[in-house]
Amino acid sequence: MTIPQEGIRTVAEDAPVFVISVAAELAGMHAQTLRQYDRLGLVSPGRTPGGGRRYSPRDVALLREVQRLSQEDGVNLAGIKRIIELEEQVEALQGQVEALLTELDQVRKPSTALVVWKPARRR
């Protein structure tokens, strides 16, 4: 069966759209586990004005990675938190490196400006 593409909207990766039960199902874990991860700071969902949690597609992907690290690799929650922090730091540093390389490339490009030199007059 083919699903028509009309009416289907794409969701921004950071858009907080999933309620906790949906995010839990998508991540393959219990909603109470998500609450625990929120308390530990492993994931920081968006909040509604009433205080309800809303998870983004990026949050769900992160939750899946937390689940994988915990279950498959045997990493404890403190280790997972540190891994996440370091990965975020690496991502930020990679962005800075890209920006600096772009800036350096701009500086290194040969200029097409014409400079006219006039010798100073002797007195």
Side-chain angles (χ1 to χ4, degrees), residues 99-119:
L100 289 170
L101 287 174
T102 300
E103 187 177 329
L104 183 61
D105 190 42
Q106 300 276 332
V107 172
R108 285 185 174 171
K109 285 188 179 175
S111 175
T112 57
L114 176 62
V115 177
V116 177
W117 177 75
K118 286 185 178 182

Side-chain angles (χ1 to χ4, degrees), residues 61-79:
L62 177 60
L63 290 166
R64 287 179 182 152
E65 180 65 5
V66 168
Q67 191 83 327
R68 186 192 67 73
L69 287 168
S70 175
Q71 292 181 354
E72 294 176 19
D73 295 341
V75 181
N76 66 23
L77 295 179

Side-chain angles (χ1 to χ4, degrees), residues 75-105:
V75 181
N76 66 23
L77 295 179
I80 291 171
K81 184 173 183 175
R82 186 67 179 137
I83 289 169
I84 291 169
E85 290 169 353
L86 290 171
E87 285 179 345
E88 288 172 352
Q89 195 174 27
V90 166
E91 191 174 311
L93 289 170
Q94 286 173 334
Q96 289 178 353
V97 167
E98 284 181 29
L100 289 170
L101 287 174
T102 300
E103 187 177 329
L104 183 61
D105 190 42

